Amino acid sequence: MLRRFLYRFQSIARIAIACIVAVQAPLCMAQGPYPFQNRKLDTEARITDLLSRMTLEEKIDALSTNPAVPRLGVVGTGHVEGLHGLALGGPGGWEGKNQTVIPTTTFPQARGLGQTWDPAMIEKLAAEEAFETDYAFGKYHRGGRVVRAPNADLSRDPRWGRSEESYGEDPFLVGTMATSFTRGLQGDDPHYWTTSSLLKHFLANSNEDGRGGSSSNFDERLFREYYSVPFRMAIQQGHANAMMTAYNAWNGTPIEVNAVLRNVVMKEWGFDGVLCTDGGALTNLVKEHHAFSDLPHAAAASIHAGINQFLDDYKGPVRQAVSDGLITEDDISRNLRGVFRVMIRLGMLDAEARYNSIGENTHPGEDPWWSEGNRVLARKATEESIVLLKNEGQMLPLRTPKSIAVIGPLADRVALDWYSGTPTFVVTPLAGIRARAHGAEVSYNEGSDIVSAAALAKKADVVIVIIGNHPTCDAGWAKCPLPSDGKEVIDRKSLTLEQEAIAKAVYAANPRMVVVLQASFPYTTTWTQEHVPAIVEMAHSSEEQGDGLADVLFGDYNPAGHLTQTWVADMSDLPPMMDYNLRDGRTYLWARSKPLYAFGYGLSYSQFRYSHLKLSTHELRSGQTLDVSVEISNTSGRDGDEVVQFYAAHRNSAIQRPLEELKDFRRVFVPAGKTVEVVLHLCADDLRYWDASRDAFVLESDTVEVRIAAASNDIRLRGNVSVRGS
C-alpha cells in the first residue's frame, strides 16, 4: 500500500503531459478555467457545461474509445485489455502498432481464477493490475485507464471457443467473481476510481461460429435468472459503469440495438456510463445480421439504443445519420453524458487527480511488474487455481522420487492466450519441477515420438505427463488444426483430447504416473480418469505456471481448487450448440446425465468432515435472510483449504426449477486436526423466479432443501426451510 501511495502522489499531473497523452492530439488550446474543470460542481452540471462548449464534430470524435477534446484541454483515456493482467504485449499484439512491448504481471486465465473460489484473491490481483495500468499510462503514456475486464459471460457449453475467458457456468459464482474483479480494478476511493472496469460481452455470448450474425434465443425468465445475472451483480454490487455489447442478437434483435439496454440495464440497474460496441459490430448489423440497409441507419439505431463508444469505422455513418435526420446532436450529447461520467470518476477532467506522473522519478527496474510482491501474488493465484481431480493410493504429493520423467508438448512452455500480456518472466512446468525436485534426476521428452517417450518413462520412478491444448491453437487467426481445439472465432467440434494418446502410451510403459491437464475447457478424458492414478487440472498463461504446479505436485501447497464448469462424460450428453434454452439439459442446473466431473468438484490432500448443520430459522419470508452454520473438521494431518458450497433445491414449486442452485460459498482454511465454523447466507428474495405474466420477480410459498456440499453432486448435509410467499 505504501508503494502505491508514494507512486500515486509523487507529483501533480501537468497539463503538458496530459496533452501528450491524448493520442498525439494537437497542441492544447484550452483557455479555461471552465466550469467543467471545477471539481466542486455537481457532475451533471460539469458535463452540461462541457457539452455546451463542444462542436458537433468534437462530439462525433468523442464517440471513439478516447473522448479527448484537445481544443478544450480535455484529456480522454482509451481502453486496454486486462482479463488476467494488463496486456501491453502478448500474442494479440496489444502493445500497439510500431510500439515496444511493456512486460506486465500475468496471472492465470479467468477460467483458473474462477477455480480459486476466492473472491478476496480476485479483488487483490485486480487491484494490482489496476495499479500497473495507471502506472503504464502515467509513466510511459501507454495503454488507457478503461480496462476491458472482467468477462461476465457464462460458459454454458464446453464447446465454446472462449471458455477460458469465463469464470464458469453458474450465474451466482460468475457474478461474485466479476463483482470482486470490478471492485479491485476501480478501488475504494470515494472520489476517484483507479481504473474503470468494462464488462464483456453483454449478453448470452457463448458461441464463436457465426457469432457476428447469430441469435441467442431464450425466454425472459432465463434472461433474468441466468444470462444477465453476472452483469447485474457487477453493476449493482460492484458499481461497474462501463460495458461492451456482444456481437450476437437476443431473440432476433442484435444486442447493440436492443431495447434491453435502455429498458433494463439503464432504467432498472442504474447503469449510466460507457456502453461500447465490440470491434466491427456496427458493420455486422448490415452485413451479417442484415438488420439495416446501410451503415447510417445502423449507427442511428445504435445511438438510439444507448451506444456511446464505437469500436468500428463509425464517423462517416454517424455524420450521414445526422445529415439525414436519423439522429440529432442532442441524441449524441445525451449518450456522451455516460462517457464523461466515467471520465470524471477517473479524474480525467481534474488536473490535480490525474495520475500521469506516477512513477516519473523511478527507473525501469523499479516498475511494479518487476516487484517480488507481484510474483508472489501470481504464484499464490496459480496454486489456488489448480484442481486435484484424482489421487488414487495417495500418489500425490510426490515423495522423494529418485528419477522423474516429464513428458508432453506443454511441459516446457507457458502457453499465452490471445488476451495475455507479455510476462516479465515465465516458469515452465519443467523448470518448476526441476527447481523443486531436490536431487532427483529429471528427464524430459516432448512427446511427439511416442516410442521414445515410453522408453524414457519406463526408466523413471515417476512419470509426469503434461497435456492439453494451446489457447491460440498455435496457429493464426481463425485457424485451429485439431477438432478439440477452440479459441476466439472458433468453437470446438470435439471434446476428445488428442494428446491423451501420449498418456496411454506412457501408462503402458510405467503406470506410476501423474497427468497434468492444462486446459482452456473441459474434455471427455474418461480413459485417463479410469486408469491414471493421479490427475490435476490447471488453466494456462500464468507467469508462475511451473512453480505453482510444482508446489502442488510436491506437497508444498495443498490443492483446493474446484471446477466451475461441468465436464460431461460424452459430447452426446450436450444439447445442440445453439440451443440456449438451458432447460433442455445444460449445466449442472438442468442436466440429468452423470458427468465425468461435476460442477464444484475438487479434491485435497486433506480430508474434511461436515457436521452440526444449524439453520437460524425454519420459516423464511421476503426481506429476511437465512443463516446456515456448519462445522468443518480437518481429520487429516495436513493443513488445507476447503470450498464449502451452499445449494438450494425447490421441493414444491409450481413451476419448473433448476435441480439445485448455488446460493453461497466460502473457501476456508482448516488447520490439521481442527474444526472451524462456517456461516453461509441465503436471502429469501434470491429464491424468487421471474413471472412473465406479472413482469416481476415472485417469491412463492415452497419448501426449500438446504444442501451443504463439497461439490454439486457431493451433498454432505441437508436441512429444510419453509418459504412464505409474498
Side-chain angles (χ1 to χ4, degrees), residues 573-684:
D573 294 336
L574 295 169
M577 181 65 178
M578 288 306 296
D579 183 355
Y580 273 79
N581 182 1
L582 299 183
R583 302 183 197 100
D584 291 336
R586 197 185 296 282
T587 79
Y588 85 95
L589 296 161
W590 298 97
R592 295 188 178 274
S593 57
K594 183 179 179 180
L596 176 61
Y597 304 116
F599 172 84
Y601 174 77
L603 302 177
S604 169
Y605 298 151
S606 301
Q607 292 80 48
F608 300 98
R609 184 180 68 245
Y610 290 55
S611 64
H612 295 90
L613 176 69
K614 296 178 183 178
L615 307 184
S616 62
T617 181
H618 289 280
E619 185 173 290
L620 197 58
R621 298 179 182 273
S622 179
Q624 295 179 337
T625 297
L626 170 69
D627 297 329
V628 180
S629 67
V630 59
E631 291 185 359
I632 309 297
S633 301
N634 185 340
T635 60
S636 72
R638 180 186 290 268
D639 296 346
D641 287 0
E642 175 68 332
V643 175
V644 184
Q645 302 162 43
F646 176 6
Y647 295 88
H650 294 266
R651 285 300 177 219
N652 303 299
S653 178
I655 63 167
Q656 186 181 18
R657 294 279 196 146
L659 301 175
E660 60 183 358
E661 300 172 88
L662 182 71
K663 293 301 180 182
D664 202 2
F665 61 89
R666 293 288 185 278
R667 180 173 178 138
V668 294
F669 173 72
V670 188
K674 300 295 184 180
T675 297
V676 300
E677 183 184 36
V678 178
V679 180
L680 302 156
H681 309 285
L682 171 64
C683 296

Side-chain angles (χ1 to χ4, degrees), residues 403-417:
S403 60
I404 303 171
V406 180
I407 296 170
L410 293 170
D412 198 25
R413 66 191 307 187
V414 172
L416 301 177
D417 63 48

Side-chain angles (χ1 to χ4, degrees), residues 108-363:
Q109 293 172 302
R111 172 186 179 78
L113 298 181
Q115 290 178 174
T116 69
W117 292 66
D118 189 347
M121 165 70 76
I122 301 304
E123 184 169 345
K124 184 175 181 180
L125 66 85
E128 287 302 318
E129 177 184 322
F131 179 64
E132 290 191 13
T133 300
D134 262 357
Y135 187 97
F137 185 82
K139 180 175 180 179
Y140 295 109
H141 314 309
R142 297 281 298 280
R145 296 181 58 215
V146 176
V147 183
R148 293 175 184 165
N151 189 327
D153 292 317
L154 289 151
S155 48
R156 64 174 181 102
D157 192 297
R159 292 167 292 192
W160 180 33
R162 295 178 79 171
S163 294
E164 66 195 19
E165 297 183 27
S166 170
Y167 297 125
E169 69 182 29
D170 179 80
F172 175 75
L173 174 69
V174 173
T176 300
M177 294 303 196
T179 297
S180 292
F181 203 95
T182 293
R183 287 173 174 161
L185 286 178
Q186 297 188 167
D188 55 8
D189 187 305
H191 302 293
Y192 296 113
W193 286 336
T194 311
T195 61
S196 171
S197 169
L198 185 144
L199 307 173
K200 301 197 299 187
H201 312 82
F202 186 84
L203 126 144
N205 177 76
S206 56
N207 64 276
E208 294 303 297
D209 294 352
R211 64 180 184 172
S214 65
S215 182
S216 304
N217 299 330
F218 50 89
D219 60 28
E220 187 169 2
R221 189 178 156 213
L222 280 175
F223 168 83
R224 296 284 186 167
E225 297 178 12
Y226 186 75
Y227 290 106
S228 72
V229 170
F231 293 94
R232 175 180 55 78
M233 290 176 66
I235 290 168
Q236 293 190 328
Q237 299 174 25
H239 306 295
N241 208 18
M243 188 170 73
M244 179 182 291
T245 57
Y247 287 117
N248 55 277
W250 173 34
N251 294 342
T253 302
I255 292 294
E256 182 180 336
V257 295
N258 201 300
V260 73
L261 298 176
R262 287 203 187 275
N263 293 342
V264 177
V265 177
M266 296 181 187
K267 289 183 181 179
E268 293 187 24
W269 299 350
F271 180 97
D272 62 0
V274 168
L275 190 61
C276 75
T277 71
D278 207 337
L282 176 63
T283 303
N284 288 352
L285 291 176
V286 176
K287 294 188 174 181
E288 297 200 42
H289 283 291
H290 307 291
F292 302 95
S293 59
D294 56 38
L295 288 174
H297 281 83
S302 300
I303 288 172
H304 286 308
I307 295 296
N308 52 28
Q309 289 193 341
F310 290 92
L311 276 68
D312 212 330
D313 185 9
Y314 72 92
K315 291 184 180 179
V318 170
R319 292 189 190 103
Q320 190 64 48
V322 173
S323 178
D324 292 346
L326 302 174
I327 53 174
T328 66
E329 183 175 349
D330 285 345
D331 292 326
I332 297 174
S333 295
R334 176 175 67 155
N335 287 18
L336 284 177
R337 298 189 75 89
V339 173
F340 289 116
R341 288 185 190 108
V342 172
M343 294 301 109
I344 287 173
R345 284 305 306 270
L346 289 171
M348 298 305 297
L349 271 62
D350 303 341
E352 66 273 25
R354 293 180 187 135
Y355 304 143
N356 295 337
S357 54
I358 290 177
E360 67 177 5
N361 297 319
T362 62
H363 301 291

Side-chain angles (χ1 to χ4, degrees), residues 4 19 23 33 219 249 283 297 374 391 395 455 478 547 575 584 645 715:
R4 187 177 299 140
C19 293
V23 192
D219 60 28
T283 303
H297 281 83
N374 283 19
N391 194 22
M395 177 75 182
D547 285 334
D584 291 336
Q645 302 162 43
I715 312 302

